[in-house]
Amino acid sequence: MKHKLYIFLSIVFVILIFKLGSWGLTFSSEARYAEIAKEMFVKGDFINPVLLGIKHLHKPPVTYYLTALGYQLFGINEFGARFFMQVALILQLLFVFKITLLLYKKEKIAFAATLIYFSFPIVIIAVRNLTTDAYLTTFILGSIYFWLQYREQSKPYFLYLFYLFLGLIFETKGPVGFIVPLTFIITYKIVHKNKIEISIHQILGFLLFSVVSLSWYLAVIYKNEGLLDYFLNTQIVERISKNKFNREKPIWYYLVLIPLVGLPWVFYLILYFKKNFKIIITKKSTDFILLVTFSILFIILSLSTSKLILYILPLYFILAIFSAKYLSTSSKKGIQNLSILFLILIGLICTSLVIISIIKSDGIEINLSVSLILFTISVIISLLIYKKISPKNYLKPTYLAVIFIGTIIISSNHIFTENELKINSVKPIVNFIKETHKQEHEILVYNYLLPSLSFYLGDNITTINHGKYTTQREVQFETNKLWKKHLINYFDPIDRARLLNFTSKDSIFLIKRKKDILPDTLLTLKNNLKHQKDFGKFEVFY
């Protein structure tokens, strides 16, 4: 079964990197991480993350470091920014297989869990848009695997790898990342009645963890007075208890979201628990450990004020394992029905692509030839799998699930490339500016933070803060006033007066299209610019 795993991982990696850099950075999170890593890489300051000339100390630096390494290998571009997230997913798949195998000792179930994990849409979403979550989940799964492997073989280097990965968790997203591995380990020890182990390797491992996890924090706190309080209060307490970053969602948010991004496997999870819940609770076996881990993280995330879709990504390896276990006990009819369901889903997505490419629904551009080729290949492979693999083989629907998600990945690559404005990329705007302005010009963006513009055009981007929370930068750690050059506070009379100076320059002025009426000073700036170009969500005046 392991040779099938490595063939699968190789095919997945090729699919993941296919056209990976063909669409522009999307604004918001991806552009922010990519630009911070770029400024870090270009300036060589790997202690203080900087965004548009202002220190951005919200998160520890592992995501920036890996992105910067991508720039070193592939250049400062979209492929370089996204490359190591694809590597992270390959490692996640490997860890899911290894963890399941250690827990249940059955390679076929482990392989099924791996295929199912890959087929979850949320897993793919996490690696197609640069954020911390793919890396965090990789380190979480790695820590669990190495701890289990140490329990299995008692080899010290597995223990050191466990502590190393705990340190990487801390350097990726702080202490919140510990919830999953520590809950799993504590529950495991309680269920199996294991005593707390203290040895020289445990002590040395903890020292390794301390060095890895605290090195950046100590360096950056030393260089920035008041940063420790900022980390503890603003980035931990207020993020959890207050709507600090406009991410407040209702308590039931994840209860609805988990099934939506886990279809159709979530139904099999429900069936598994319906069939085995009493046994799981009374026997307190491996299933019980996973269930407790899932439940505690789910409750904590639901109670937290700050909620984003990818925060629940570390839960899905448990969903994949339970789904594989239920599938392994399914009847021939159940396996056949699930296989037919995936055939229908593959047919629907392929047919929809062809139809949209013909009628160009909602202005979405899809190449008809690409749609027809993808339709043909996906349908032929799916039908071959359906006919050649026995309905008694519970891997059959998992293979079809992989075809389904693979079709989505490849088709989305083409859709993103041909519809960059619709996926919130400013690359078409950048190309227009480069074509119409051969020399450097001052670019002003009204009430919106657009680090992707700086990523493509350089440092001459000025943000006008008129109250939107993302433009209200945290400047308490700046040691000089250089940051004021490219950040204008409209509520400051002196800053507002600066805007009038731009009316006499050959400036470029970007406005995110909305119903808000521009104030007088900005109307004067806009009216003095002779040309206007509409880019859907943005208007460009020049």
Side-chain angles (χ1 to χ4, degrees):
M1 193 61 67
K2 286 184 179 179
H3 72 281
K4 289 184 179 180
L5 171 70
Y6 296 122
I7 292 171
F8 166 68
L9 294 179
S10 300
I11 294 171
V12 166
F13 186 66
V14 172
I15 292 173
L16 289 173
I17 64 173
F18 174 70
K19 291 180 72 70
L20 182 63
S22 61
W23 68 92
L25 299 175
T26 56
F27 53 77
S28 190
S29 297
E30 179 171 57
R32 184 170 66 251
Y33 284 109
E35 173 60 17
I36 292 171
K38 176 193 169 186
E39 295 188 39
M40 183 177 279
F41 177 69
V42 170
K43 296 174 183 176
D45 182 356
F46 292 92
I47 300 298
N48 296 294
V50 174
L51 177 63
L52 301 181
I54 297 173
K55 290 178 183 178
H56 191 83
L57 304 172
H58 292 197
K59 286 186 176 70
V62 163
T63 302
Y64 310 138
Y65 291 169
L66 290 170
T67 308
L69 180 58
Y71 296 153
Q72 178 68 44
L73 295 175
F74 305 105
I76 301 175
N77 53 49
E78 298 90 346
F79 186 90
R82 298 174 181 137
F83 175 77
F84 280 104
M85 288 191 301
Q86 319 316 308
V87 176
L89 178 51
I90 298 300
L91 290 174
Q92 286 176 38
L93 295 169
L94 185 61
F95 287 142
V96 169
F97 179 86
K98 298 282 189 179
I99 290 170
T100 311
L101 186 59
L102 283 169
L103 291 175
Y104 295 102
K105 311 300 182 186
K106 294 182 179 179
E107 284 193 352
K108 193 172 182 180
I109 290 179
F111 189 51
T114 307
L115 299 179
I116 292 170
Y117 182 78
F118 176 67
S119 72
F120 285 129
I122 190 174
V123 172
I124 306 306
I125 292 169
V127 299
R128 308 313 271 180
N129 186 30
L130 178 58
T131 65
T132 63
D133 300 280
Y135 296 126
L136 177 65
T137 302
T138 304
F139 298 139
I140 287 172
L141 293 176
S143 66
I144 292 172
Y145 164 66
F146 288 121
W147 186 83
L148 284 172
Q149 194 66 276
Y150 174 68
R151 296 290 307 170
E152 184 86 2
Q153 298 185 18
S154 299
K155 293 181 178 178
Y157 68 87
F158 286 121
L159 184 64
Y160 293 124
L161 285 169
F162 162 68
Y163 279 111
L164 172 63
F165 272 64
L166 281 187
L168 291 173
I169 288 172
F170 198 75
E171 288 283 19
T172 302
K173 209 163 186 174
V176 293
F178 293 151
I179 297 171
V180 180
L182 292 187
T183 301
F184 176 87
I185 290 168
I186 292 169
T187 308
Y188 187 101
K189 282 184 169 291
I190 291 172
V191 168
H192 291 283
K193 299 179 180 178
N194 296 149
K195 295 180 180 179
I196 297 175
E197 178 186 351
I198 299 177
S199 67
I200 184 62
H201 295 299
Q202 291 284 358
I203 294 170
L204 292 175
F206 186 77
L207 287 175
L208 173 63
F209 159 74
S210 301
V211 170
V212 173
S213 62
L214 297 178
S215 55
W216 175 79
Y217 283 95
L218 292 175
V220 75
I221 288 170
Y222 175 76
K223 288 180 175 290
N224 297 274
E225 186 178 352
L227 186 58
L228 178 59
D229 180 70
Y230 173 80
F231 279 146
L232 295 176
N233 291 319
T234 304
Q235 287 300 321
I236 297 179
V237 176
E238 292 184 12
R239 183 183 285 268
I240 294 173
S241 61
K242 298 180 182 179
N243 189 23
K244 178 68 178 177
F245 298 100
N246 284 7
R247 295 172 180 174
E248 185 174 15
K249 299 289 190 303
I251 195 170
W252 45 262
Y253 178 71
Y254 289 128
L255 190 63
V256 174
L257 186 64
I258 285 178
L260 288 178
V261 291
L263 292 173
W265 299 111
V266 167
F267 290 123
Y268 289 84
L269 177 74
I270 294 170
L271 291 171
Y272 180 78
F273 282 119
K274 183 180 178 181
K275 182 179 178 181
N276 300 286
F277 187 74
K278 287 184 179 179
I279 298 174
I280 292 171
I281 297 300
T282 53
K283 282 193 173 182
K284 291 184 173 54
S285 59
T286 301
D287 286 359
F288 179 80
I289 296 168
L290 292 175
L291 179 60
V292 170
T293 303
F294 181 96
S295 301
I296 289 177
L297 182 60
F298 177 79
I299 292 169
I300 290 172
L301 289 173
S302 296
L303 292 176
S304 173
T305 303
S306 179
K307 295 183 180 73
L308 288 177
I309 179 174
L310 292 178
Y311 288 177
I312 56 173
L313 179 61
L315 294 174
Y316 277 80
F317 87 97
I318 299 176
L319 297 183
I321 292 173
F322 282 138
S323 298
K325 283 207 68 186
Y326 179 78
L327 197 59
S328 68
T329 61
S330 294
S331 64
K332 176 181 174 181
K333 183 179 180 181
I335 293 169
Q336 192 77 342
N337 288 340
L338 184 58
S339 300
I340 292 171
L341 173 61
F342 274 111
L343 273 182
I344 293 170
L345 291 174
I346 292 166
L348 283 174
I349 190 170
C350 290
T351 304
S352 299
L353 286 171
V354 173
I355 293 172
I356 292 172
S357 63
I358 294 172
I359 66 175
K360 300 189 185 303
S361 175
D362 294 325
I364 297 176
E365 296 288 336
I366 306 177
N367 186 286
L368 179 58
S369 298
V370 171
S371 298
L372 290 172
I373 292 170
L374 192 59
F375 178 94
T376 304
I377 294 173
S378 297
V379 170
I380 289 174
I381 294 175
S382 300
L383 290 175
L384 285 173
I385 290 172
Y386 184 77
K387 288 184 177 181
K388 295 293 183 181
I389 298 179
S390 168
K392 295 180 181 179
N393 187 345
Y394 63 83
L395 287 178
K396 182 176 183 176
T398 66
Y399 289 137
L400 291 170
V402 168
I403 300 299
F404 170 68
I405 203 70
T407 304
I408 290 177
I409 293 170
I410 295 172
S411 60
S412 65
N413 291 348
H414 289 282
I415 293 171
F416 293 167
T417 302
E418 296 176 26
N419 300 271
E420 290 183 293
L421 286 174
K422 291 187 178 295
I423 63 165
N424 295 333
S425 171
V426 300
K427 200 168 184 180
I429 301 176
V430 170
N431 292 336
F432 172 77
I433 291 173
K434 287 180 177 179
E435 289 171 4
T436 56
H437 298 76
K438 301 303 181 184
Q439 297 178 344
E440 286 191 3
H441 291 73
E442 193 70 32
I443 300 172
L444 297 100
V445 181
Y446 171 65
N447 214 27
Y448 207 84
L449 203 65
L450 273 183
S452 48
L453 272 182
S454 182
F455 182 88
Y456 292 115
L457 294 173
D459 297 329
N460 58 333
I461 309 296
T462 299
T463 303
I464 303 170
N465 168 22
H466 197 200
K468 186 175 177 64
Y469 78 96
T470 56
T471 63
Q472 298 172 28
R473 307 294 306 280
E474 295 179 329
V475 298
Q476 65 267 39
F477 302 112
E478 297 302 314
T479 56
N480 54 54
K481 300 297 182 181
L482 292 177
W483 59 271
K484 281 182 168 288
K485 181 181 178 182
H486 293 300
L487 181 64
I488 294 176
N489 180 6
Y490 191 83
F491 301 103
D492 184 329
I494 297 174
D495 273 10
R496 190 161 61 244
R498 285 172 56 200
L499 284 170
L500 296 175
N501 295 328
F502 289 102
T503 62
S504 60
K505 297 179 180 180
D506 189 9
S507 305
I508 300 169
F509 184 33
L510 270 75
I511 303 173
K512 194 169 189 293
R513 297 189 69 180
K514 52 185 179 180
K515 296 180 180 179
D516 294 353
I517 299 173
L518 288 177
D520 291 342
T521 305
L522 292 171
L523 277 175
T524 302
L525 172 61
K526 186 185 83 168
N527 293 335
N528 281 1
L529 298 171
K530 298 177 181 179
H531 306 286
Q532 183 263 342
K533 178 76 173 176
D534 185 0
F535 285 94
K537 293 182 179 180
F538 286 94
E539 288 181 293
V540 178
F541 298 89
Y542 60 101

